[in-house]
Structure formats: C-alpha cells, structure tokens
C-alpha cells in the first residue's frame, strides 16, 4: 500500500499561479520520497463568500453581475495558468441553477449545498489541469464519491445539508480505489454526499475536516494543513508581536487552542487524526521551507507551563439564580427562549 500524505490547501493557497507552483513542487518532493500526495483544496479565496452573495441575491437583478464576477475570477486564473477552460460544465451549472432558483424565488438547503460545492469543484479542476501541464501526474477525484455524511436524528434540514459530519474509520475500499489511480490525487474539501446521493457541506472551514477524514480513512502517514501562516502561535501575532510559533503540540493542546479561537486549524479536524494517531503538520504556503507546527501524541512533554493564550470577543456570560424553579421541567428552555427569539 502507498504511503499517503494528505495535503490541504486553503483559499489563499490556491488563488494564484505562484501558490500552485508551490503545490507542484511539494507534490514532486513527496513523489520523489516514495510518498503519494492527496491534495485537498478549498475554493479560491473569496469564492465561498461570493457564492453566498449569489444565493442571497437570487431573484434580484444584481445576481447576474455577481455570477459574472465569479466566472471572471476563475477564467482570469485559467488564463494566467496558460490552460484551456476546464470548468465550462461547472459554470453552466452555476448559471442554470441560479436561473432556476430565481424563477421559484428561493434556495433550498439542498440547492444551497450544491451551489456552494461549485467553488471547490472549480478550484480543483483548474488545479488538476495546471499541475498536469507542469508534468505533475495528477488524477482529479470527486470527494463526494468517498465521503458519506452520517444521519443525525432530529437534525434540521439546514444542518443535514450545510453542517454534516462523516465517519472516519479506515476505509479499505477507498484505499484500493485510490491505490489504482496513478500519480497524485487532487480532490475537494468541504463537500460530501448523504445516503440519498445529495451533495452536503461540512460547515464553513470544513476543508480542514475533509483532509482529516481522508487521512484517517487512508491511514495516511501525516496530514499537512497548508495555510498563510507558519503554524500555531503562543498568542495572536497581530496583537502580540513577540508571539512564537509552537513547534510541537499534543492533540488535546491543539484542540483547546483551536476551539478557543485560533483560526489556523478547524477544531473538527483533530479527532479523526487523533483516533488514528496520524500527525497533523501546519505548513506555510508562502514559506514552504519552514517546519511549522507538528501536532501528535507526544506534544512538548509533561512539564507544567502555559502553551498559548487565546482571546475571544463577543462572548456573553449569563448568571441565573433561582430557588423556586429548581428542578422544574422546562425551566432552562423557557429561560433561553428569549435568546432564540432575538437570534
């Protein structure tokens, strides 16, 4: 079996030709080391927000301008890459789906997920064509063929389609299928399918989670998260200039830092890798020579000390005291109903 290395590249890491050249170099390096890369990509920077804008404008004459802007962003990159347009079918689908939604005046959660998936599908089609033009043997794979969402009892339709979760047990069928595909693999983050075959999303930031799912299912040797910063820091370097990169963390430490506000890694990406003891490595696309942060079971050791400091804004603390309502059924539901109405 191949020594799989899953490499996830976020929106800023796939938005320019220069960044794709870095991806090509890293793919070649892994192949020369007898490892097989699985390249998991987000949509181009700003595209997911652009599609959300299109969805919000359905039925408004301004939607056509938003669709054209999204189309031009991708066609400009294709021109800079020197490749023929490989995303004609996706652009046609976008226009047809938006036209249909405009006629009925709404976008269902099912259609919402389908439209949002186009960002990742287009970025990976562009990337596959460009990498092959550079002589990197890459096979385009639809992530939805391998990631299946888990049914969730009592979940709303929006949650089922827009914030799904998948299992992450080792998958011999996936391993065999990708083993038979020559060269490197390029696929999408953020998307999967449900039991009915419909497209579902893994929530915003879900590309990290997709990479972790692929790593766990393939029993990869490591999962690399490529972003525009060199790793996890002891504090937010935008506010603390003396913050240092953390060279090593254990899974639980990284989970706490990610949950409490660090944007470099989505917290849902850690459990799949932890369950399979797969190291996560945070790498910097603009500075690929840097080692970044390694997240694994060893961490920095057992010595006491503060590893990092996180800050979050907009957090509200509510203190409630009562005697008469103690153990009354539905008390907390009634107390928080006001916030549901406000939200």
């Amino acid at each position: 079996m191949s020594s799989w290395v899953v490499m996830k590249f976020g929106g800023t890491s796939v938005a320019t030709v220069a960044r794709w050249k870095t991806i090509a170099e890293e793919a070649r390096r892994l192949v020369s080391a007898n490892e097989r890369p699985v390249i998991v990509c987000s949509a181009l920077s700003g595209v997911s927000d652009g599609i959300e804008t299109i969805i919000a404008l359905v039925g408004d004459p301004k939607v056509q301008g938003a669709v054209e802007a999204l189309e031009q962003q991708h066609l400009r990159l294709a021109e800079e890459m020197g490749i023929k347009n490989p995303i004609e079918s996706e652009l046609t689908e976008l226009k047809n789906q938006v036209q249909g939604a405009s006629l009925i005046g709404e976008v269902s959660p099912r259609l919402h997920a389908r439209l949002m998936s186009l960002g990742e599908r287009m970025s990976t089609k562009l990337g596959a064509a460009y990498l092959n033009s550079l002589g990197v043997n890459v096979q385009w794979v639809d992530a939805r063929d391998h990631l299946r969402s888990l049914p969730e009892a009592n979940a709303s339709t929006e949650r089922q389609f827009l914030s799904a979760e998948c299992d992450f047990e080792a998958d011999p069928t996936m391993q065999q299928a990708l083993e038979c595909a020559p060269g490197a693999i390029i696929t999408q983050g953020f998307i999967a399918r449900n039991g009915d075959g419909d497209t579902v999303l893994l929530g915003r930031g879900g590309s990290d989670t997709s990479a972790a799912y692929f790593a766990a299912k393939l029993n990869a040797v490591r999962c690399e998260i490529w972003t525009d910063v060199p790793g996890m820091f002891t504090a937010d370097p935008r506010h603390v200039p003396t913050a240092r990169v953390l060279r090593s963390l254990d899974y639980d430490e990284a989970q706490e830092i990610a949950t409490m506000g660090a944007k470099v890694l989505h917290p849902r990406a850690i459990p799949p890798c932890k369950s399979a003891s797969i190291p996560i490595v945070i790498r910097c696309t603009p500075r690929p020579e840097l080692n970044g942060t390694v997240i694994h079971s060893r961490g920095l050791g057992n010595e006491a000390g503060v590893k990092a400091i996180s800050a979050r804004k907009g957090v509200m603390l509510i203190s409630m005291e009562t005697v008469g309502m103690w153990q009354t059924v539905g008390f907390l539901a009634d107390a928080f109903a006001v916030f549901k109405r406000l939200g």
Side-chain angles (χ1 to χ4, degrees), residues 158-224:
E158 286 78 8
R159 178 172 175 82
Q160 292 176 36
F161 281 96
L162 306 181
S163 188
E165 295 185 15
C166 302
D167 76 273
F168 44 82
E169 297 296 323
D171 188 340
T173 301
M174 178 196 289
Q175 294 170 13
Q176 184 176 9
L178 298 191
E179 187 76 27
C180 294
I185 303 295
I186 187 167
T187 190
Q188 309 79 39
F190 187 47
I191 64 176
R193 278 200 180 104
N194 62 17
D196 295 326
D198 296 316
T199 299
V200 299
L201 309 180
L202 304 182
R204 293 302 293 266
S207 290
D208 288 357
T209 309
S210 295
Y213 287 157
F214 272 103
K217 285 177 168 290
L218 290 170
N219 195 25
V221 294
R222 65 184 176 278
C223 179
E224 298 180 352

Side-chain angles (χ1 to χ4, degrees), residues 66-94:
V67 170
E68 291 175 357
L70 198 72
E71 178 181 23
Q72 289 305 310
Q73 179 181 357
H74 289 86
L75 295 181
R76 280 195 302 270
L77 181 57
E79 183 179 2
E80 292 169 4
M81 288 174 162
I83 59 174
K84 294 182 179 179
N85 178 12
I87 58 170
E88 190 63 43
S89 62
E90 285 75 19
L91 291 173
T92 299
E93 180 181 344
L94 172 64

Side-chain angles (χ1 to χ4, degrees), residues 46-56 66-67 70 73 116 204:
V47 164
S48 292
D49 288 340
I51 296 176
E52 290 281 15
T53 297
I54 289 170
I55 291 171
V67 170
L70 198 72
Q73 179 181 357
M116 292 297 295
R204 293 302 293 266

Side-chain angles (χ1 to χ4, degrees), residues 82-151:
I83 59 174
K84 294 182 179 179
N85 178 12
I87 58 170
E88 190 63 43
S89 62
E90 285 75 19
L91 291 173
T92 299
E93 180 181 344
L94 172 64
K95 295 171 185 176
N96 290 342
Q97 297 281 14
V98 170
Q99 183 179 19
S102 296
L103 290 174
I104 63 175
E106 66 175 353
V107 176
S108 67
R110 179 183 285 106
L111 179 55
H112 191 144
R114 182 79 184 185
L115 287 170
M116 292 297 295
S117 75
L118 286 165
E120 277 69 17
R121 289 155 59 196
M122 290 191 292
S123 70
T124 50
K125 287 283 185 73
L126 288 170
Y130 181 63
L131 292 175
N132 279 302
S133 76
L134 296 180
V136 181
N137 185 12
V138 173
Q139 306 299 316
W140 187 89
V141 169
D142 193 329
R144 298 171 296 178
D145 292 340
H146 299 285
L147 298 183
R148 288 287 185 273
S149 64
L150 296 169

Side-chain angles (χ1 to χ4, degrees), residues 325-334:
M325 297 299 292
W326 177 244
Q327 292 186 337
T328 300
V329 174
F331 163 59
L332 288 177
D334 291 339

